[in-house]
Amino acid sequence: MSRGVPAHAYTLRVQRALYEAGTAPEPWRDALDLSDRPLRITAAEAVALGEELRAVTERHRRDSPGSRGDAPGGTERVSVITFVLPELSCAEQDAP
């Protein structure tokens, strides 16, 4: 988990991506995805989910200054931001 990045930094990245999407080439507009999935899982399942999401992103080419020359043409930097956010206060609202 990256605990050193303030939440507002992610907000700014999302805002910038949405702003740029209006003028982006169509394939990149189609690639943009903002989605959420409310789940009902245990703490252990939440940990496993985070690990699975990290494993998926690790299968892809990481962006770094030294690796850009090795990337095929047409590549761009893509940020994949994941949050596994326990909403414990919602449990109180769900109670009968």
Side-chain angles (χ1 to χ4, degrees):
M1 178 175 169
S2 178
R3 298 179 195 269
V5 179
H8 71 273
Y10 294 125
T11 301
L12 293 173
R13 289 166 100 177
V14 170
Q15 289 173 335
R16 184 177 64 227
L18 292 174
Y19 176 78
E20 293 173 351
T23 58
E26 187 173 350
W28 287 108
R29 286 194 310 267
D30 293 344
L32 178 72
D33 177 44
L34 296 175
S35 58
D36 65 23
R37 301 264 187 285
L39 306 173
R40 186 161 302 274
I41 59 179
T42 66
E45 290 170 324
V47 170
L49 175 61
E51 291 169 354
E52 288 178 54
L53 294 171
R54 279 187 294 283
V56 168
T57 60
E58 289 299 320
R59 293 195 302 257
H60 296 272
R61 187 179 312 101
R62 195 170 188 96
D63 182 44
S64 66
S67 69
R68 292 184 185 159
D70 299 333
T75 61
E76 297 289 346
R77 180 184 175 101
V78 172
S79 289
V80 177
I81 302 169
T82 59
F83 297 102
V84 177
L85 303 172
E87 297 181 24
L88 304 179
S89 62
C90 289
E92 296 169 2
Q93 296 170 3
D94 291 346

